[in-house]
Amino acid sequence: LAAALALAKSKDPSSKPEDVRDAVQVIEHHADDLVRKMEDALARTFVTPLDREDLQRLSSELDDVVDLTNLAARASVLYGVARPTEPMQKLMDTLVSTTGVLKAAMPKLRTHEYAALLDDSRKLRALEKEADSVFRSAVSMLFKDPAVDAKVLLREKEVLEDLENAVDHCDNVADTLTNIAVKHG
């Protein structure tokens, strides 16, 4: 959630893309450290309440969400997208929503609230479908509008893809949460 919120700050007209990128990068490095600590703990722990492989997959997929959020922030700077377009802003909002659902879902693993995890997974899938629609519509408009310069098309498409991929990976987390809920519920 922190990375998505940091990225969403790019919607503020006073924000600088470089500052947003740097803020997301710091969060991404912190997330990488957490994944390493989780993997080390899983390697040392003989018995866990959940399968170690499931926990490792979950941490890896969560890290992918942060990595892709970071990639979107970096792409904005790299390709010179000074201000996110309306579809980019919608995808950022969806990313904030999906990561908010994920943040609320994670403690439910510890308390074995598997039915609630299934509900959260359904919410994530619905949000991901909305993001797909926004993405497809935005890319379609870029290609159909004869006034859009090729450079603009390429730069905006790249950032849109990175944002959509980050949301897509939230759906991957939903699949893992569903598998854990079905296995242990």
Side-chain angles (χ1 to χ4, degrees):
L1 178 60
L5 289 170
L7 178 63
K9 287 184 181 178
S10 67
K11 296 186 311 183
D12 180 348
S14 66
S15 71
K16 294 180 184 173
E18 295 82 6
D19 294 341
V20 171
R21 177 202 57 205
D22 294 346
V24 174
Q25 184 76 35
V26 167
I27 295 165
E28 192 270 339
H29 287 311
H30 179 68
D32 286 344
D33 289 340
L34 290 175
V35 169
R36 278 190 288 280
K37 288 177 184 175
M38 173 88 160
E39 290 170 346
D40 289 346
L42 287 172
R44 288 190 315 270
T45 305
F46 182 68
V47 177
T48 61
L50 301 173
D51 293 339
R52 294 182 318 173
E53 295 85 2
D54 290 338
L55 293 173
Q56 188 281 328
R57 183 179 309 107
L58 185 61
S59 70
S60 176
E61 289 168 352
L62 289 167
D63 184 55
D64 288 345
V65 172
V66 178
D67 289 346
L68 289 163
T69 303
N70 185 37
L71 190 60
R74 290 176 32 219
S76 294
V77 173
L78 182 65
Y79 297 117
V81 177
R83 285 282 144 260
T85 62
E86 183 179 334
M88 289 176 198
Q89 291 180 31
K90 286 180 181 178
L91 288 173
M92 287 177 193
D93 291 342
T94 303
L95 184 58
V96 168
S97 295
T98 56
T99 55
V101 171
L102 290 174
K103 182 178 180 180
M106 290 304 108
K108 295 172 188 171
L109 285 169
R110 183 178 296 273
T111 56
H112 310 287
E113 296 175 57
Y114 299 120
L117 283 173
L118 291 173
D119 289 339
D120 290 336
S121 293
R122 289 182 191 107
K123 289 176 196 170
L124 289 166
R125 286 191 186 92
L127 288 166
E128 193 273 331
K129 286 186 188 313
E130 289 175 25
D132 282 346
S133 177
V134 170
F135 172 74
R136 283 191 301 273
S137 176
V139 170
S140 175
M141 293 305 294
L142 284 171
F143 278 96
K144 288 180 180 177
D145 187 348
V148 173
D149 176 79
K151 287 181 185 178
V152 171
L153 182 144
L154 292 171
R155 102 174 35 120
E156 289 186 11
K157 183 178 176 287
E158 188 72 26
V159 175
L160 287 164
E161 283 177 345
D162 291 340
L163 290 167
E164 205 273 333
N165 284 335
V167 175
D168 273 352
H169 273 72
C170 292
D171 189 47
N172 294 352
V173 176
D175 288 341
T176 300
L177 290 174
T178 297
N179 289 338
I180 291 170
V182 168
K183 188 186 293 185
H184 297 280

